[in-house]
Amino acid sequence: MWKVVWAALLLQVPVCAQTVQSEDNHEVKDTRKLGHVSVIIVGGTGDLAKKYLWQGFFHLYANQVSSGYSFSFYGGGLSPKDKATPVLFEALKNVTCPLDLSVERCALVKEQFLKLAEYRQLVTLEDYQALGKQLTEHPKQEGVTEAGRLFYLSVPAFAYADVAEKINASCRPSDGTWLRVVLEKPFGHDFSSAQLLSAQLATSLKDEEMFRIDHYLGKQVVSKILPFRKENSKHLDPVWNKHHIERVEIVLKETLNAKGRIPFYDQYGVIRDVIQNHLTEVLTLLTMELPTNLSDSKEVLKNKLKIFSALEHLERHCAVVGQYESYNKEVQEELNKTKEHYSLTPTFAGVMVYIDIAQYEGMPIILTSGKMLDERLGYARILFKNDIFCVQSHNNVHCKPKQIIFYFGHGALQYPAILVSKNLFKPDLKDTEWKEVTEQNDLHVLGMPISDYYVLTPTVQREAYSELISQIFHGRKDSFISTENLLASWDFWTPLLHSLANAPSRLYPGGVDNGNMLDFKLLGREATFANDALVFITHDDMGGSGVESFQVMQGKYRSAEMVSAWSEELIVRLAAEIQAAAESAVREGGRFHLALSGGSTPLALFQRLAHYHYTFPWRDTHLWMVDERCVPLTEMDSNFRTVHDHLLQHVKVPYFNIHPMPVQINQRLCVEEDNGALLYERDISQLVNTSSFHFVLLGVGYDGHTASLFPSSKLDAHRESLVALTESPAKPHQRMSLTLKAINQAQKVGVLVMGKSKHELITQLSRVKDNINKWPITGIRPTSGRLVWYIDYDALLG
Ligand code: BG6
């Protein structure tokens, strides 16, 4: 069969004229020497294969057929051969030719392509063994060497490990022949599942054999981002930074719903479906350091990785989420759920991202995507600051927005394009595969008439999958996701995803009716919807109490003052009281001494202080630690690290005013002879007037501990000191802590307790008598200062 195909092609292919002239064996052999490539799409009759993959492989075939390779194509699947073969051929018949092929040649190439394809049932190991045998024998029978085997796994992700194992066991080619295995997202659901999947795959495949595909990287505009940045570096280098860029927007708007894909979609939602992968990849391309060699995949991936590790940690408040109204009904129907079932999966999200690199510090990057929006459109926009104030000539080009738009496709502009505002610069065009669009029309792109832009577009439009399939064939890896980059991306997204797990979603009707409901704004580092919500779904709607009151209540707890409210309100109140204490201390003595605890409870407070208290006298504030775990300060476990990440790095406290506990001295941790506790005590005595902090923030643990003063910590032993080494029953055991003496000398002590899980403790503590060895928190009795309990309703009322 192969010989027939070959001869037919030679006769028709003009670029092979040389070979056609001499149809002797010698010439033919020469051209064939590159060898045979077997392509196997596992899941070859599935939707993706039908829509994109066969088309992509057909283009590969059409482009390579005269290059000296021969091919065979297998569509693999679970169905028996007689049932699936017609389905496969129906899909194959629908492929279209590359535009540069004449009608006659197209018909011929397509006919040959169909002849080279067959269906294989691939279920058992025996099926794969039989396939492996055929992959080896077929080229031998045809008298050609084998160049490579390309497996495309277009199957659900749960099947990856199993299929990879079978390929490894029975379809691995002999040395000298390449094996490439292509995987489609999802590559996990969060960091740990991605890590597990990567570990499982690594037992069967080498990293260089795996090609994790993200089809956005095959879109012509996306793959042009780096070359465009390089070609125009003389214009871009001076302005590609926080000083000139107002913000970056990376947007994928869709009009479709999730119908038909709910079993997948409901588990993933919009962030996992498109933001963690497609939009994040675009973000890295826009912000990464330009590689010296754009096709050096190692350098490209390494530079991307640097961006991943510089992305600022995402908090819950960095995102807004929504769900289109009919989504839940679709879920009930497709997943056979009852009318009481509510899905919390977001179908819309807007996320604010910041990069902690001097070049981009403080420059907002907005990633947003949603189903059921008003239009289908994908783009990345770099909006530059405009330093010209236009007094009256508003239509002058210099008064208009300055922006560069990487227009991925869809939308009003029917072609992919890069648009550069004419008031920026005229882009250089060195690439013959791109051209400038000069014809004018009255289209508007992101608020500006198209005539205000220089517009570049590819000379020939190509499908993303065709592009990537060609790169896989050539073994180029720069547009694929390495294991390291994949895990770095999940590492970045997972905390946000977890914090959104039960988050309320704004319901939106869909399409143009959404109006301005999904518009969101930046408030400090926070993203919030710009307009009031009409309807929210929350966990409470699903059986909780759903209390709407946000009032603050004042009372007494353990005969001390108590402030109670819902958690958000409580934090607002506590932050305001700390600022008031700071202002009064600075007014009176020029300095404010604040001692902070670690743990997770005060995080919301730190964030509130960092992002809302613009007039806080940070310059005159000294920050001390209430207690510390004996670990290096850079570790996530360290209390100082928490304060650093959530507060210090966002506010301007002079370096000299920051006082971490000296847990590490002489390269060892909390060794008595190193006198760390004494050193801290000396610092306090020297800097804090009468060693009396203005404000000490405490928490309380389930066992009644506070600071690092645990039950039976022999608290009496450090009656005279201000700082002591203590022991915790939990790891890491060794701690350094302010003593009861130091805390009780403070002018104000606030104990913050939040969450339902603390309700039992709060109930118990309300009844117990003072007993510092059993309940160290009961030892907090400021000698002349005030003690205030800040307890949220969850902890107070359960
Ligand atoms: C896919 C997502 O990866 O990308 C879909 O699973 C989404 O939900 C699609 O519709 C968008 O891709 P494109 O190329 O149409 O913008």
Side-chain angles (χ1 to χ4, degrees):
M1 174 181 72
W2 188 89
K3 280 193 179 118
V4 180
V5 173
W6 192 254
L9 283 168
L10 291 179
L11 288 170
Q12 301 293 327
V13 180
V15 284
C16 268
Q18 247 186 329
T19 337
V20 178
Q21 279 163 14
S22 59
E23 219 191 300
D24 64 47
N25 282 343
H26 177 71
E27 277 292 340
V28 171
K29 247 191 199 150
D30 241 3
T31 326
R32 288 160 46 177
K33 72 172 184 263
L34 292 176
H36 188 79
V37 176
S38 307
V39 171
I40 309 96
I41 305 185
V42 186
T45 52
D47 278 351
L48 185 77
K50 282 191 208 154
K51 218 165 149 191
Y52 298 112
L53 303 184
W54 286 119
Q55 179 65 62
F57 280 109
F58 176 58
H59 276 196
L60 175 76
Y61 175 67
N63 291 331
Q64 292 298 325
V65 71
S66 49
S67 66
Y69 286 103
S70 64
F71 289 87
S72 45
F73 297 94
Y74 303 87
L78 301 177
S79 310
K81 192 168 179 130
D82 54 336
K83 260 197 174 162
T85 301
V87 183
L88 174 69
F89 277 88
E90 201 47 50
L92 296 182
K93 271 187 231 148
N94 288 335
V95 297
T96 56
C97 286
L99 291 176
D100 51 356
L101 232 55
S102 69
V103 178
E104 301 77 46
R105 176 141 167 70
C106 169
L108 181 85
V109 176
K110 199 163 155 180
E111 191 188 326
Q112 306 313 334
F113 178 64
L114 292 179
K115 284 190 186 150
L116 296 172
E118 70 173 89
Y119 179 83
R120 306 274 314 194
Q121 186 176 26
L122 293 176
V123 183
T124 61
L125 182 61
E126 291 72 43
D127 293 335
Y128 280 85
Q129 283 165 343
L131 173 69
K133 209 162 158 220
Q134 178 161 355
L135 297 182
T136 309
E137 280 170 9
H138 178 76
K140 276 190 197 152
Q141 284 161 7
E142 301 295 344
V144 279
T145 52
E146 202 186 345
R149 297 179 184 182
L150 195 164
F151 283 83
Y152 200 117
L153 309 198
S154 180
V155 294
F158 64 77
Y160 284 168
D162 178 53
V163 176
E165 208 178 303
K166 291 191 172 107
I167 293 174
N168 180 39
S170 45
C171 298
R172 203 165 250 297
S174 54
D175 286 352
T177 301
W178 52 256
L179 170 69
R180 293 179 191 145
V181 180
V182 191
L183 302 149
E184 269 287 338
K185 74 173 178 68
F187 311 119
H189 189 260
D190 56 12
F191 180 77
S192 25
S193 55
Q195 201 175 33
L196 180 70
L197 178 61
S198 301
Q200 285 170 337
L201 288 170
T203 60
S204 307
L205 300 169
K206 297 181 201 139
D207 212 31
E208 66 267 22
E209 292 170 342
M210 275 187 274
F211 285 71
R212 288 192 194 84
I213 219 163
D214 180 317
H215 80 276
Y216 261 60
L217 294 177
K219 287 189 185 265
Q220 283 171 297
V221 166
V222 176
S223 61
K224 183 69 183 171
I225 293 177
L226 290 182
F228 175 86
R229 287 181 53 197
K230 191 154 199 164
E231 283 157 17
N232 291 284
S233 58
K234 76 168 185 287
H235 305 292
L236 293 176
D237 281 355
V239 295
W240 208 250
N241 56 50
K242 62 184 176 197
H243 303 297
H244 293 87
I245 297 176
E246 175 87 33
R247 66 169 184 240
V248 176
E249 300 163 7
I250 306 172
V251 178
L252 166 58
K253 289 171 58 174
E254 300 193 272
T255 46
L256 276 181
N257 54 25
K259 252 191 200 159
R261 298 176 71 207
I262 298 281
F264 158 81
Y265 199 87
D266 200 46
Q267 283 186 43
Y268 286 81
V270 64
I271 299 183
R272 293 180 171 95
D273 185 35
V274 297
I275 298 185
Q276 174 272 327
N277 36 61
H278 306 329
L279 303 196
T280 307
E281 285 299 322
V282 173
L283 181 156
T284 58
L285 291 171
L286 290 172
T287 52
M288 69 195 259
E289 193 183 321
L290 276 179
T292 351
N293 174 359
L294 295 187
S295 44
D296 178 345
S297 49
K298 281 212 177 91
E299 200 186 352
V300 173
L301 293 172
K302 192 182 84 201
N303 290 4
K304 276 190 181 180
L305 197 61
K306 282 194 207 154
I307 291 294
F308 278 120
S309 47
L311 293 175
E312 284 185 20
H313 182 80
L314 285 179
E315 303 291 339
R316 162 73 191 88
H317 65 249
C318 304
V320 287
V321 284
Q323 187 189 79
Y324 62 84
E325 268 168 18
S326 54
Y327 178 77
N328 201 49
K329 198 152 163 278
E330 290 165 15
V331 172
Q332 289 168 356
E333 281 166 14
E334 280 188 40
L335 300 183
N336 272 332
K337 299 282 185 189
T338 63
K339 293 268 175 274
E340 280 71 51
H341 178 84
Y342 282 93
S343 165
L344 288 172
T345 303
T347 59
F348 166 84
V351 189
M352 302 290 317
V353 175
Y354 288 89
I355 303 179
D356 188 11
I357 291 181
Q359 188 180 1
Y360 303 120
E361 231 174 12
M363 178 188 87
I365 304 177
I366 300 169
L367 306 188
T368 191
S369 180
K371 299 273 183 208
M372 292 284 278
L373 301 184
D374 58 331
E375 59 180 340
R376 184 168 182 214
L377 178 61
Y379 64 88
R381 158 159 107 147
I382 323 301
L383 178 66
F384 291 88
K385 296 176 183 170
N386 199 339
D387 51 4
I388 296 181
F389 174 69
C390 294
V391 178
Q392 48 184 52
S393 53
H394 289 283
N395 271 334
N396 183 303
V397 71
H398 296 294
C399 305
K400 299 194 173 176
K402 293 178 178 179
Q403 52 195 6
I404 297 178
I405 298 164
F406 295 93
Y407 196 95
F408 310 148
H410 316 309
L413 198 67
Q414 294 290 315
Y415 47 87
I418 301 176
L419 300 101
V420 181
S421 299
K422 285 192 174 157
N423 54 5
L424 272 173
F425 58 87
K426 184 167 170 36
D428 286 341
L429 192 58
K430 296 189 184 123
D431 182 348
T432 51
E433 296 197 351
W434 283 68
K435 60 176 186 202
E436 190 179 341
V437 183
T438 44
E439 79 253 21
Q440 296 291 337
N441 53 39
D442 51 11
L443 266 182
H444 276 64
V445 179
L446 301 189
M448 287 205 328
I450 196 142
S451 54
D452 282 351
Y453 297 100
Y454 294 110
V455 184
L456 309 181
T457 192
T459 41
V460 180
Q461 285 189 38
R462 276 197 298 271
E463 260 299 331
Y465 277 99
S466 302
E467 195 63 32
L468 292 173
I469 284 170
S470 155
Q471 294 189 19
I472 298 163
F473 176 75
H474 289 106
R476 273 187 56 187
K477 290 210 92 176
D478 47 309
S479 293
F480 297 85
I481 319 291
S482 67
T483 308
E484 212 177 357
N485 286 36
L486 173 74
L487 294 179
S489 174
W490 278 120
D491 192 28
F492 170 64
W493 284 104
T494 300
L496 176 73
L497 286 163
H498 286 175
S499 71
L500 285 172
N502 292 320
S505 275
R506 175 170 285 200
L507 287 183
Y508 59 95
V512 282
D513 291 345
N514 297 333
N516 59 12
M517 280 190 73
L518 296 177
D519 296 349
F520 56 96
K521 61 181 172 189
L522 322 183
L523 218 63
R525 301 244 154 169
E526 197 171 314
T528 51
F529 282 117
N531 303 292
D532 284 343
L534 303 176
V535 197
F536 276 100
I537 41 168
T538 69
H539 231 39
D540 283 343
D541 289 343
M542 301 174 345
S545 55
V547 182
E548 263 108 46
S549 153
F550 281 98
Q551 278 164 14
V552 179
M553 185 175 97
Q554 282 190 268
K556 291 264 174 204
Y557 180 74
R558 287 187 57 81
S559 67
E561 288 174 62
M562 177 189 72
V563 176
S564 192
W566 288 114
S567 55
E568 273 177 45
E569 197 67 17
L570 186 71
I571 291 297
V572 170
R573 169 73 173 252
L574 175 55
E577 290 189 9
I578 295 177
Q579 172 150 1
E583 282 165 357
S584 129
V586 172
R587 236 182 353 258
E588 279 163 29
R591 279 177 184 185
F592 176 55
H593 289 282
L594 172 64
L596 296 173
S597 296
S600 56
T601 307
L603 291 189
L605 172 72
F606 297 161
Q607 283 152 13
R608 176 90 206 163
L609 288 171
H611 303 306
Y612 288 86
H613 286 251
Y614 303 112
T615 57
F616 198 101
W618 291 117
R619 229 168 26 134
D620 302 313
T621 298
H622 279 252
L623 283 167
W624 302 85
M625 297 305 299
V626 162
D627 66 328
E628 189 53 276
R629 296 150 193 228
C630 295
V631 295
L633 298 183
T634 47
E635 283 197 10
M636 295 313 278
D637 254 1
S638 150
N639 285 344
F640 181 75
R641 174 74 198 252
T642 311
V643 177
H644 171 270
D645 288 358
H646 297 274
L647 179 64
L648 289 177
Q649 66 162 330
H650 304 295
V651 295
K652 288 199 168 169
V653 181
Y655 178 81
F656 317 100
N657 293 8
I658 301 173
H659 308 281
M661 283 183 155
V663 285
Q664 195 169 20
I665 298 177
N666 297 330
Q667 292 173 333
R668 45 193 199 171
L669 292 161
C670 295
V671 173
E672 194 85 51
E673 300 89 80
D674 291 332
N675 288 327
L678 202 62
L679 284 174
Y680 207 54
E681 180 160 334
R682 273 192 208 140
D683 279 354
I684 296 173
S685 317
Q686 278 167 18
L687 292 169
V688 185
N689 192 14
T690 65
S691 302
S692 165
F693 292 109
H694 292 106
F695 200 110
V696 175
L697 178 74
L698 297 178
V700 52
Y702 297 109
D703 55 357
H705 80 262
T706 191
S708 275
L709 306 172
F710 294 91
S712 316
S713 285
K714 303 180 196 88
L715 302 186
D716 282 345
H718 28 75
R719 196 185 282 272
E720 296 310 319
S721 36
L722 299 177
V723 187
L725 289 179
T726 63
E727 290 267 325
S728 155
K731 279 188 179 165
H733 298 296
Q734 284 185 297
R735 307 290 173 100
M736 189 179 284
S737 179
L738 294 187
T739 60
L740 288 177
K741 176 176 172 185
I743 298 170
N744 285 333
Q745 277 176 200
Q747 302 186 22
K748 181 165 174 186
V749 180
V751 184
L752 178 61
V753 193
M754 300 210 295
K756 278 199 178 83
S757 62
K758 292 271 169 76
H759 176 59
E760 211 167 303
L761 171 74
I762 283 297
T763 315
Q764 201 162 19
L765 280 180
S766 70
R767 297 194 198 113
V768 300
K769 296 225 162 61
D770 289 1
N771 178 346
I772 58 166
N773 284 327
K774 192 150 184 236
W775 305 100
I777 183 74
T778 62
I780 305 299
R781 295 271 170 220
T783 28
S784 56
R786 277 166 70 205
L787 165 65
V788 183
W789 289 83
Y790 295 87
I791 308 178
D792 77 350
Y793 286 152
D794 281 335
L796 190 69
L797 311 169

PDB file of all heavy atoms in Angstrom, residues 773-786:
ATOM      1  N   ASN A 773      -1.410  27.790  84.738  1.00  0.00           N
ATOM      2  CA  ASN A 773      -0.717  26.598  84.251  1.00  0.00           C
ATOM      3  C   ASN A 773      -1.643  25.715  83.425  1.00  0.00           C
ATOM      4  O   ASN A 773      -1.209  24.993  82.543  1.00  0.00           O
ATOM      5  CB  ASN A 773      -0.108  25.813  85.409  1.00  0.00           C
ATOM      6  CG  ASN A 773       1.145  26.528  85.891  1.00  0.00           C
ATOM      7  OD1 ASN A 773       1.857  27.151  85.090  1.00  0.00           O
ATOM      8  ND2 ASN A 773       1.377  26.515  87.191  1.00  0.00           N
ATOM      9  N   LYS A 774      -2.952  25.766  83.698  1.00  0.00           N
ATOM     10  CA  LYS A 774      -3.900  24.990  82.911  1.00  0.00           C
ATOM     11  C   LYS A 774      -4.400  25.800  81.702  1.00  0.00           C
ATOM     12  O   LYS A 774      -4.509  25.287  80.592  1.00  0.00           O
ATOM     13  CB  LYS A 774      -5.088  24.608  83.793  1.00  0.00           C
ATOM     14  CG  LYS A 774      -5.954  23.589  83.161  1.00  0.00           C
ATOM     15  CD  LYS A 774      -6.636  22.718  84.189  1.00  0.00           C
ATOM     16  CE  LYS A 774      -7.427  21.638  83.461  1.00  0.00           C
ATOM     17  NZ  LYS A 774      -8.807  21.618  83.803  1.00  0.00           N
ATOM     18  N   TRP A 775      -4.724  27.071  81.932  1.00  0.00           N
ATOM     19  CA  TRP A 775      -5.252  27.950  80.890  1.00  0.00           C
ATOM     20  C   TRP A 775      -4.382  29.203  80.846  1.00  0.00           C
ATOM     21  O   TRP A 775      -4.736  30.230  81.442  1.00  0.00           O
ATOM     22  CB  TRP A 775      -6.692  28.360  81.200  1.00  0.00           C
ATOM     23  CG  TRP A 775      -7.657  27.232  81.423  1.00  0.00           C
ATOM     24  CD1 TRP A 775      -8.091  26.758  82.604  1.00  0.00           C
ATOM     25  CD2 TRP A 775      -8.299  26.471  80.402  1.00  0.00           C
ATOM     26  NE1 TRP A 775      -8.978  25.721  82.428  1.00  0.00           N
ATOM     27  CE2 TRP A 775      -9.125  25.520  81.051  1.00  0.00           C
ATOM     28  CE3 TRP A 775      -8.278  26.468  79.009  1.00  0.00           C
ATOM     29  CZ2 TRP A 775      -9.897  24.597  80.361  1.00  0.00           C
ATOM     30  CZ3 TRP A 775      -9.056  25.548  78.337  1.00  0.00           C
ATOM     31  CH2 TRP A 775      -9.852  24.624  78.990  1.00  0.00           C
ATOM     32  N   PRO A 776      -3.241  29.175  80.170  1.00  0.00           N
ATOM     33  CA  PRO A 776      -2.334  30.330  80.194  1.00  0.00           C
ATOM     34  C   PRO A 776      -3.021  31.656  79.843  1.00  0.00           C
ATOM     35  O   PRO A 776      -2.669  32.692  80.385  1.00  0.00           O
ATOM     36  CB  PRO A 776      -1.263  29.962  79.175  1.00  0.00           C
ATOM     37  CG  PRO A 776      -1.229  28.472  79.220  1.00  0.00           C
ATOM     38  CD  PRO A 776      -2.643  28.035  79.446  1.00  0.00           C
ATOM     39  N   ILE A 777      -4.048  31.617  78.994  1.00  0.00           N
ATOM     40  CA  ILE A 777      -4.722  32.861  78.605  1.00  0.00           C
ATOM     41  C   ILE A 777      -5.326  33.571  79.827  1.00  0.00           C
ATOM     42  O   ILE A 777      -5.444  34.798  79.839  1.00  0.00           O
ATOM     43  CB  ILE A 777      -5.802  32.588  77.518  1.00  0.00           C
ATOM     44  CG1 ILE A 777      -6.475  33.881  77.020  1.00  0.00           C
ATOM     45  CG2 ILE A 777      -6.901  31.656  78.017  1.00  0.00           C
ATOM     46  CD1 ILE A 777      -5.644  34.710  76.133  1.00  0.00           C
ATOM     47  N   THR A 778      -5.668  32.786  80.854  1.00  0.00           N
ATOM     48  CA  THR A 778      -6.283  33.420  82.036  1.00  0.00           C
ATOM     49  C   THR A 778      -5.259  34.240  82.821  1.00  0.00           C
ATOM     50  O   THR A 778      -5.617  34.981  83.741  1.00  0.00           O
ATOM     51  CB  THR A 778      -6.943  32.380  82.970  1.00  0.00           C
ATOM     52  OG1 THR A 778      -5.916  31.492  83.440  1.00  0.00           O
ATOM     53  CG2 THR A 778      -8.029  31.590  82.262  1.00  0.00           C
ATOM     54  N   GLY A 779      -3.981  34.097  82.440  1.00  0.00           N
ATOM     55  CA  GLY A 779      -2.934  34.894  83.099  1.00  0.00           C
ATOM     56  C   GLY A 779      -2.827  36.302  82.521  1.00  0.00           C
ATOM     57  O   GLY A 779      -2.040  37.125  82.990  1.00  0.00           O
ATOM     58  N   ILE A 780      -3.590  36.585  81.479  1.00  0.00           N
ATOM     59  CA  ILE A 780      -3.521  37.938  80.881  1.00  0.00           C
ATOM     60  C   ILE A 780      -4.405  38.874  81.706  1.00  0.00           C
ATOM     61  O   ILE A 780      -5.647  38.833  81.630  1.00  0.00           O
ATOM     62  CB  ILE A 780      -3.994  37.912  79.404  1.00  0.00           C
ATOM     63  CG1 ILE A 780      -3.210  36.889  78.579  1.00  0.00           C
ATOM     64  CG2 ILE A 780      -3.883  39.312  78.772  1.00  0.00           C
ATOM     65  CD1 ILE A 780      -1.731  37.116  78.488  1.00  0.00           C
ATOM     66  N   ARG A 781      -3.728  39.660  82.503  1.00  0.00           N
ATOM     67  CA  ARG A 781      -4.397  40.650  83.372  1.00  0.00           C
ATOM     68  C   ARG A 781      -3.539  41.902  83.360  1.00  0.00           C
ATOM     69  O   ARG A 781      -2.680  42.073  84.254  1.00  0.00           O
ATOM     70  CB  ARG A 781      -4.467  40.133  84.819  1.00  0.00           C
ATOM     71  CG  ARG A 781      -5.327  38.916  85.014  1.00  0.00           C
ATOM     72  CD  ARG A 781      -6.748  39.362  85.306  1.00  0.00           C
ATOM     73  NE  ARG A 781      -7.671  38.218  85.275  1.00  0.00           N
ATOM     74  CZ  ARG A 781      -8.884  38.271  84.752  1.00  0.00           C
ATOM     75  NH1 ARG A 781      -9.305  39.381  84.188  1.00  0.00           N
ATOM     76  NH2 ARG A 781      -9.679  37.238  84.780  1.00  0.00           N
ATOM     77  N   PRO A 782      -3.691  42.761  82.376  1.00  0.00           N
ATOM     78  CA  PRO A 782      -2.804  43.927  82.295  1.00  0.00           C
ATOM     79  C   PRO A 782      -2.777  44.703  83.622  1.00  0.00           C
ATOM     80  O   PRO A 782      -3.835  44.932  84.218  1.00  0.00           O
ATOM     81  CB  PRO A 782      -3.433  44.775  81.185  1.00  0.00           C
ATOM     82  CG  PRO A 782      -4.212  43.815  80.373  1.00  0.00           C
ATOM     83  CD  PRO A 782      -4.690  42.751  81.306  1.00  0.00           C
ATOM     84  N   THR A 783      -1.571  45.051  84.080  1.00  0.00           N
ATOM     85  CA  THR A 783      -1.457  45.692  85.389  1.00  0.00           C
ATOM     86  C   THR A 783      -2.110  47.071  85.414  1.00  0.00           C
ATOM     87  O   THR A 783      -2.867  47.375  86.319  1.00  0.00           O
ATOM     88  CB  THR A 783       0.025  45.770  85.832  1.00  0.00           C
ATOM     89  OG1 THR A 783       0.826  45.826  84.660  1.00  0.00           O
ATOM     90  CG2 THR A 783       0.434  44.595  86.655  1.00  0.00           C
ATOM     91  N   SER A 784      -1.779  47.860  84.381  1.00  0.00           N
ATOM     92  CA  SER A 784      -2.476  49.150  84.374  1.00  0.00           C
ATOM     93  C   SER A 784      -3.150  49.422  83.034  1.00  0.00           C
ATOM     94  O   SER A 784      -3.840  50.418  82.882  1.00  0.00           O
ATOM     95  CB  SER A 784      -1.494  50.276  84.712  1.00  0.00           C
ATOM     96  OG  SER A 784      -0.427  50.222  83.801  1.00  0.00           O
ATOM     97  N   GLY A 785      -2.954  48.533  82.068  1.00  0.00           N
ATOM     98  CA  GLY A 785      -3.558  48.746  80.744  1.00  0.00           C
ATOM     99  C   GLY A 785      -4.939  48.105  80.643  1.00  0.00           C
ATOM    100  O   GLY A 785      -5.515  47.663  81.639  1.00  0.00           O
ATOM    101  N   ARG A 786      -5.450  48.047  79.375  1.00  0.00           N
ATOM    102  CA  ARG A 786      -6.786  47.489  79.140  1.00  0.00           C
ATOM    103  C   ARG A 786      -6.671  46.154  78.416  1.00  0.00           C
ATOM    104  O   ARG A 786      -5.819  45.980  77.549  1.00  0.00           O
ATOM    105  CB  ARG A 786      -7.562  48.416  78.200  1.00  0.00           C
ATOM    106  CG  ARG A 786      -8.241  49.587  78.861  1.00  0.00           C
ATOM    107  CD  ARG A 786      -8.661  50.574  77.762  1.00  0.00           C
ATOM    108  NE  ARG A 786      -9.761  50.050  76.938  1.00  0.00           N
ATOM    109  CZ  ARG A 786      -9.994  50.448  75.689  1.00  0.00           C
ATOM    110  NH1 ARG A 786      -9.209  51.347  75.107  1.00  0.00           N
ATOM    111  NH2 ARG A 786     -11.004  49.951  75.003  1.00  0.00           N
TER     112      ARG A 786
END
